[in-house]
């Protein structure tokens, strides 16, 4: 008896998704709750599990197709399956070669390497592909994709891993793709369809610029006190809480102080009303392979450093694995974005609608500053607060950023609520 695999409920107000990656091919055995397909929504990738054990039937949709909630995308023939019933056909359906031909990949590697684009393919990787790339230690930009629009499939990664193994563990038998020889006249371009998530990011950020009156105020911050506190207590903190003491915990708590004193920075405009919050849910901008995601630390004002650091570490790990859920990113009253981890010195971050403010952190570097009339070297960081001037006045924005700066420079303020 065949059981239909339907697109599950994807979250509030989400009615459709894009097929990102088939994790199982027709004829493959599947277990109960084993993921068979990855769907991309506006915010996250969702893996759809099989409700029964059996053998996967034909795919009803292809990678790149848009599917609605409740629609049938595949079937599973119930019963015990003895592995992939049609390995050769399954491999060919995925756009690849039969498994027994993996040894030929080594010979084909030089030709394939020429066809690989220099661009970064990470934005199109599904969760299953990302996990396979990390597991085998491969560079996705050196693997030729056989999926729709040149996307990498899990089978592509596995074939590349096998070729690497057959080659004695070398990274690649072929050199990295290089520019076309001078005078050859060959100039290549590549067109890759934007993922649903990237399209949504683009629309939301452009919408923020179009609808909000954006302005950014800056300040600089002496990180000496926080760095000394981390160095002094990092071992005890890690031993007690089983998590490293990072900078984000300090900034999250400092932001909570500022938002308490400047409630407009923790509010947003809805129609002709201002919605204020008596709690602080901090969205933390995290860079994931498919794009920027902003999971939310709930009730950050009620949590201690250890809980905040654990939440951030968990979000970062799940963002890399592609396992964040819609609920993880729902809501949020204020955002912190740390461009410093990528080396940014200064930026003007864009607010995360409908929020009205975002704090931008940047890299720490030693700079000469004047302290008590003397020039000294201090580890300094530029802070940026972008805000919606329709709701937040300049005085309020500057005050909020000043409170954050003072709390970081004197962390005792966080303990005694100053």
């Amino acid at each position: 008896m065949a059981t239909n695999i339907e697109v599950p409920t994807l979250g509030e107000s989400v009615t459709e998704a894009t097929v990102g990656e088939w994790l199982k091919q027709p004829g493959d055995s599947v277990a109960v709750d084993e993921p068979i397909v990855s769907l991309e929504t506006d915010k996250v990738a969702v893996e759809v599990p099989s409700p029964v054990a059996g053998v996967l039937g034909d795919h009803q949709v292809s990678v790149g197709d848009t599917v609605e909630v409740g629609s049938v995308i595949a079937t599973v023939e119930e019963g015990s399956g003895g592995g992939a019933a049609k390995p050769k056909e399954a491999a060919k359906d995925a756009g690849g070669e039969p498994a027994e031909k993996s040894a030929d990949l080594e010979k084909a590697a030089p030709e394939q390497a020429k066809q690989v684009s220099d661009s970064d393919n990470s934005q199109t990787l599904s969760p299953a592909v990302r996990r396979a790339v990390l597991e085998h230690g491969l560079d996705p930009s050196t693997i030729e994709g056989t999926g729709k629009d040149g996307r990498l499939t899990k089978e592509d990664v596995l074939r590349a891993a096998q070729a690497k193994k057959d080659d004695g563990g070398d990274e690649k038998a072929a050199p990295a793709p290089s520019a076309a020889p001078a005078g050859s006249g060959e100039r290549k371009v590549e067109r890759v369809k934007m993922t649903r998530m990237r399209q949504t990011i683009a629309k939301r950020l452009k919408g923020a610029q179009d609808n909000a009156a954006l302005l950014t105020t800056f300040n600089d911050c002496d990180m000496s006190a926080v760095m000394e506190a981390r160095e002094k207590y990092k071992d005890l903190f890690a031993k007690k809480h089983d998590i490293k003491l990072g900078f984000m915990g300090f900034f999250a708590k400092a932001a909570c102080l500022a938002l308490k004193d400047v409630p407009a920075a923790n509010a947003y405009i809805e129609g002709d009303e201002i919605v204020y919050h008596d709690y602080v849910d901090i969205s933390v901008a995290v860079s994931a392979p498919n794009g920027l995601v902003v999971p939310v630390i709930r009730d950050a004002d009620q949590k201690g450093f250890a809980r905040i650091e654990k939440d951030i570490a968990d979000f970062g790990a799940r963002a890399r694995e592609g396992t964040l859920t819609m609920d993880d990113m729902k809501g949020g009253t204020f955002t912190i974005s740390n461009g410093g981890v990528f080396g940014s010195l200064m930026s003007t971050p864009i607010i995360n609608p409908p929020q009205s403010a975002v704090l931008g952190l940047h890299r720490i570097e030693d700079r000469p500053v004047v302290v008590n009339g003397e020039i000294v070297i201090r580890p300094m960081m530029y802070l940026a607060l972008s805000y919606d001037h329709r709701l937040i006045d300049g005085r309020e924005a500057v005050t909020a950023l000043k409170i954050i700066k003072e709390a970081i420079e004197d962390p005792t303020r966080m303990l005694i609520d100053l």
Side-chain angles (χ1 to χ4, degrees):
M1 183 176 115
T3 299
N4 289 336
I5 306 299
E6 300 179 350
V7 178
T9 301
L10 301 169
E12 184 179 353
S13 75
V14 180
T15 60
E16 62 181 24
T18 300
V19 180
E21 171 82 7
W22 280 103
L23 309 178
K24 291 289 185 177
Q25 300 301 322
D28 286 353
S29 295
V30 294
V32 177
D33 293 332
E34 184 176 9
I36 62 171
V37 65
S38 174
L39 303 179
E40 295 177 356
T41 69
D42 292 345
K43 294 184 177 181
V44 296
V46 179
E47 292 186 345
V48 180
S50 174
V52 296
V55 177
L56 186 66
D58 292 335
H59 298 161
Q60 304 298 314
V61 292
S62 302
V63 172
D65 288 351
T66 297
V67 292
E68 296 183 351
V69 172
S71 61
V72 177
I73 55 178
T75 59
V76 173
E77 293 289 341
E78 295 185 39
S80 59
K86 298 181 292 182
K88 294 184 180 180
E89 290 81 352
K92 292 178 181 178
D93 287 341
E97 294 294 329
E100 58 264 34
K101 292 188 178 181
S102 60
D104 294 335
L105 287 172
E106 183 179 356
K107 299 178 182 178
E111 181 61 29
Q112 291 178 347
K114 295 178 183 178
Q115 300 173 7
V116 177
S117 166
D118 291 331
S119 63
D120 183 5
N121 290 330
S122 63
Q123 63 180 4
T124 62
L125 302 186
S126 72
V129 173
R130 283 195 297 274
R131 284 196 294 273
V133 166
L134 292 173
E135 179 181 349
H136 295 286
L138 300 175
D139 180 357
S141 66
T142 64
I143 305 173
E144 182 181 7
T146 60
K148 186 175 182 180
D149 298 323
R151 291 166 60 93
L152 287 182
T153 67
K154 186 177 180 181
E155 288 73 19
D156 296 331
V157 177
L158 294 179
R159 284 196 297 273
Q162 183 63 45
K164 175 182 174 181
K165 182 178 179 181
D166 292 344
D167 195 40
D170 292 337
E171 283 297 319
K172 275 287 178 180
S178 56
S184 68
E186 182 180 7
R187 302 175 63 192
K188 295 182 178 180
V189 298
E190 180 184 11
R191 293 183 182 272
V192 179
K193 185 177 180 181
M194 294 174 68
T195 64
R196 179 180 290 270
M197 183 184 295
R198 177 53 61 185
Q199 293 179 48
T200 300
I201 291 172
K203 290 177 183 177
R204 286 176 60 83
L205 293 181
K206 184 56 181 173
Q209 290 183 319
D210 292 341
N211 299 323
L214 293 180
L215 189 62
T216 303
T217 183
F218 298 94
N219 214 322
D220 60 357
C221 179
D222 186 345
M223 297 293 292
S224 298
V226 167
M227 293 176 71
E228 289 172 4
R230 285 186 67 204
E231 184 63 27
K232 183 176 181 179
Y233 297 111
K234 64 179 183 180
D235 293 336
L236 289 174
F237 188 87
K239 182 177 180 180
K240 180 175 181 179
H241 301 292
D242 195 27
I243 190 70
K244 291 183 179 179
L245 178 59
F247 289 127
M248 284 296 289
F250 287 95
F251 279 103
K253 297 303 290 185
C256 290
L257 286 181
L259 299 178
K260 180 179 179 181
D261 286 357
V262 186
N266 196 43
Y268 63 83
I269 294 175
E270 188 174 84
D272 59 357
E273 297 180 332
I274 300 175
V275 181
Y276 292 95
H277 306 90
D278 64 354
Y279 55 88
V280 179
D281 285 353
I282 296 182
S283 302
V284 181
V286 177
S287 179
N290 272 3
L292 188 71
V293 293
V294 279
V296 180
I297 303 173
R298 311 287 177 188
D299 298 313
D301 53 325
Q302 304 297 322
K303 292 180 176 178
F305 280 79
R307 184 67 264 171
I308 290 175
E309 292 291 354
K310 288 181 179 178
D311 286 351
I312 293 171
D314 176 59
F315 289 148
R318 289 197 287 142
R320 290 189 294 272
E321 296 169 357
T323 57
L324 287 172
T325 67
M326 297 289 288
D327 288 339
D328 291 327
M329 291 178 283
K330 186 183 301 181
T333 62
F334 182 79
T335 293
I336 299 178
S337 177
N338 186 7
V341 297
F342 303 110
S344 172
L345 177 64
M346 188 178 291
S347 67
T348 55
I350 300 176
I351 63 174
N352 178 26
Q355 298 172 21
S356 297
V358 53
L359 174 66
L361 310 182
H362 303 92
R363 77 170 185 252
I364 302 170
E365 63 177 10
D366 289 340
R367 292 201 298 270
V369 295
V370 177
V371 178
N372 297 326
E374 296 184 354
I375 298 177
V376 296
I377 303 298
R378 291 285 189 268
M380 304 297 293
M381 175 194 287
Y382 286 118
L383 305 179
L385 183 73
S386 291
Y387 58 98
D388 188 347
H389 211 343
R390 298 178 302 165
L391 172 59
I392 304 172
D393 294 331
R395 175 183 62 83
E396 293 176 309
V398 172
T399 299
L401 190 58
K402 185 169 179 286
I403 292 173
I404 294 173
K405 165 187 168 69
E406 292 173 344
I408 294 299
E409 293 184 337
D410 183 8
T412 306
R413 287 173 171 267
M414 302 182 208
L415 301 178
I416 58 179
D417 195 16
L418 282 181

